[in-house]
Amino acid sequence: MRAHTLIPSALLLLGSLTLTAACSHGSGTPGPTPEAQPGPPSTASRTVDPSKIKGLEIVNDSSEQSSCPFAVSYPDVPGAEAMTAAMKKDVDQRLDTFRSNRCGSGSASGGEFNVSHRFLVASGDVLGVRLTTLDGSGAGNGQSAKSYWYDGKDGAYRQALDLIADGSRDAFSAALKKRLRGHEGVDPTYLDDAFADATHLAGLLDDLSFTTDGGLRVEFEPGTVGGTAAGSFVVSFTKAAITPWLSPFGKRAQKQTERPSDGLDLGATSTPSAAVPTHTASADDDTDCTKVKCIALTFDDGPAAPETATLLDHLARYKARTTFFVVGQNMAAHPALVRAEAKAGHEIGNHTWNHPDLTKLTPEQVAYQLRRTSAAIKAATGKAPTLFRPPYGAINTKVKAATTLAPVLWDIDTEDWKYRDSAKVAQTVIAKARRNSVVLMHDIHPTSVAAVPQILRTLTAEGFHFVTVSHLRATL
Ligand code: NI
């Protein structure tokens, strides 16, 4: 039950919606919710450290081309395969639609497609994840969010509405309608239609999450209970008001949000922990690029397990140094891999938190995307980055003015995200390699990582030295 709308991508921010209209909040006090302001997610929601989730992998897919700008990211947690499958189905369907509308020949102009994730709960036997989707193609759904749940006790994927007991859904719906009715921006016709069909209720109420004080937050996306221009609406229930309506699973999810247990156990048969290489740079790089042929390989969108670890092994074998432009939400899952990159003598650059087109954001949003990621890099490696790569190479004077980081583009594009063909990726780099080139690749794709040994072997034989971007710039 999603409206067919186009929302400016400037509204994209992690889990926080600038369009959120003032609606009932807390015990019914009217006024703007914390989500009404651009910026970080509400402090009322639980902060989960994903690096503590054993065996976690982040499913990533993205392009680096402004003619087909997309980036999707969602977690794959061992034991919760049914939930991963539900996210994959939703994301793939929307991405396919976006790509066929936006990226084909004669494609229409339009915005980007972005799916970012945030953990709501990851402890005890409860996993909750919220995906925020922005579809700026004009053919998609505009902006929306959905929460996905996994019940480790029963070994089952749960939809958001499953937090509410079957027998309490009528009362819950009636309470929501009552809170929304008469509110500015809520259209009575939309409202009655939205709640008229009980079979569509799970689609309408697909974004439920608990607050740290045990309350429940329900978000209605644009176009569901009011016109699209009215934006989204948030209704919050206090713990006392919502608890009698919760299902047994809902009560466990509420408890894990309020007072998380140590660790997550979904009953997975195996949770292999990803290998983290321990290569250590022997000394500073003294390569003089005025005297020898240098080239800077760059790897974007990671880190990814296990691909980044494999790549670090390849690079160590040839004593090659490179630059990694990491994405914050991936780094949150695998900080140890970024630490390993830095320890091996590679440079870490900033590639934003969730890969938006920065030219579509406000200066404050640009600053937030970069600042949050730089802080995560500094926390993992002890050193703040000095470089950033704008997703899709999209940059303008406004973006440059919003940060002190220096932008890095590229002159050799392997288009490895498109081809997924190791031989083709290796051939492209080898054929186009010139002195002082900056090469764009992505370490989230196994095919790109597999192309690296041949690139290193061939170009080393041709006399190339592999250096970081900062080293190349400093010695030219
Ligand atoms: Ni990228």
Side-chain angles (χ1 to χ4, degrees):
M1 197 135 197
R2 287 192 174 79
H4 192 80
T5 65
L6 174 61
I7 304 295
S9 38
L11 299 165
L12 175 71
L13 256 187
L14 284 172
S16 71
L17 308 173
T18 41
L19 265 183
T20 300
C23 199
S24 309
H25 182 56
S27 54
T29 320
T33 69
E35 281 70 31
Q37 302 303 323
S42 162
T43 49
S45 59
R46 173 62 59 194
T47 302
V48 173
D49 179 357
S51 72
K52 297 211 164 79
I53 302 172
K54 287 197 184 85
L56 169 66
E57 291 187 14
I58 306 295
V59 181
N60 274 296
D61 195 3
S62 51
S63 85
E64 213 68 76
Q65 281 184 351
S66 54
S67 60
C68 181
F70 70 89
V72 307
S73 166
Y74 57 92
D76 181 5
V77 177
E81 285 76 16
M83 178 176 137
T84 307
M87 291 189 285
K88 179 176 165 45
K89 189 174 166 226
D90 285 353
V91 171
D92 284 356
Q93 205 168 38
R94 290 178 177 202
L95 179 59
D96 284 349
T97 306
F98 173 83
R99 289 183 78 160
S100 60
N101 286 328
R102 177 80 165 76
C103 309
S105 54
S107 61
S109 61
E112 76 211 275
F113 182 83
N114 187 291
V115 177
S116 60
H117 71 269
R118 186 162 71 82
F119 286 93
L120 299 169
V121 185
S123 57
D125 54 17
V126 179
L127 179 66
V129 170
R130 186 169 189 255
L131 298 189
T132 302
T133 301
L134 178 98
D135 186 339
S137 67
N141 304 313
Q143 182 168 297
S144 59
K146 178 170 172 177
S147 63
Y148 299 78
W149 299 85
Y150 192 79
D151 178 349
K153 183 164 171 259
D154 289 354
Y157 161 60
R158 306 280 186 211
Q159 300 187 80
L161 193 56
D162 292 331
L163 297 170
I164 308 297
D166 280 345
S168 300
R169 289 183 188 171
D170 287 348
F172 179 60
S173 297
L176 284 167
K177 268 181 89 169
K178 194 173 161 208
R179 297 275 287 274
L180 287 162
R181 194 176 296 281
H183 204 281
E184 191 186 341
V186 172
D187 183 317
T189 316
Y190 276 69
L191 185 63
D192 289 334
D193 283 355
F195 281 92
D197 187 349
T199 59
H200 288 158
L201 215 53
L204 176 71
L205 306 176
D206 65 358
D207 184 15
L208 273 56
S209 55
F210 290 100
T211 53
T212 48
D213 58 5
L216 188 80
R217 181 183 179 281
V218 185
E219 184 161 329
F220 294 85
E221 61 199 41
T224 51
V225 295
T228 51
S232 58
F233 292 85
V234 174
V235 177
S236 298
F237 293 92
T238 61
K239 182 181 179 182
I242 198 65
T243 302
W245 291 336
L246 295 177
S247 65
F249 173 67
K251 284 183 180 146
R252 280 187 283 127
Q254 179 192 44
K255 181 170 162 253
Q256 289 299 336
T257 313
E258 272 193 289
R259 295 182 307 279
S261 310
D262 283 339
L264 172 70
D265 184 4
L266 301 179
T269 46
S270 77
T271 52
S273 52
V276 179
T278 54
H279 310 291
T280 308
S282 49
D284 283 349
D285 188 2
D286 58 2
T287 308
D288 185 349
C289 296
T290 61
K291 298 210 170 85
V292 299
K293 274 202 294 190
C294 287
I295 191 164
L297 301 183
T298 65
F299 295 92
D300 288 15
D301 295 6
E307 289 80 8
T308 304
T310 309
L311 174 59
L312 285 170
D313 289 342
H314 294 327
L315 295 170
R317 206 163 298 131
Y318 288 85
K319 295 192 166 42
R321 300 202 196 217
T322 64
T323 306
F324 289 92
F325 288 98
V326 299
V327 167
Q329 67 183 347
N330 291 339
M331 195 179 162
H334 306 297
L337 285 174
V338 178
R339 200 153 39 240
E341 292 169 355
K343 197 165 157 248
H346 303 292
E347 178 167 24
I348 316 299
N350 186 324
H351 197 39
T352 75
W353 189 264
N354 66 319
H355 211 277
D357 177 343
L358 296 176
T359 64
K360 304 278 171 57
L361 301 187
T362 65
E364 292 74 25
Q365 290 169 328
V366 172
Y368 176 70
Q369 282 278 337
L370 295 172
R371 195 174 59 235
R372 189 176 179 197
T373 307
S374 286
I377 293 170
K378 177 141 196 236
T381 68
K383 199 176 156 202
T386 59
L387 307 177
F388 82 106
R389 172 164 281 157
Y392 316 113
I395 188 159
N396 57 22
T397 49
K398 246 174 48 189
V399 171
K400 284 182 196 162
T403 180
T404 55
L405 299 172
V408 179
L409 298 178
W410 56 86
D411 53 75
I412 298 176
D413 186 353
T414 57
E415 296 189 287
D416 59 338
W417 60 272
K418 199 194 288 179
Y419 295 113
R420 313 290 174 92
D421 176 337
S422 298
K424 191 177 169 74
V425 170
Q427 262 165 20
T428 304
V429 178
I430 291 163
K432 291 186 174 174
R434 297 286 178 273
R435 189 169 185 169
N436 304 329
S437 285
V438 176
V439 182
L440 172 64
M441 300 175 74
H442 296 83
D443 57 326
I444 55 174
H445 306 307
T447 44
S448 303
V449 171
V452 168
Q454 196 191 335
I455 293 168
L456 296 175
R457 191 162 54 239
T458 308
L459 294 185
T460 300
E462 290 179 12
F464 279 100
H465 293 252
F466 301 94
V467 298
T468 67
V469 170
S470 284
H471 187 87
L472 188 67
R473 288 184 170 184
T475 58
L476 285 183

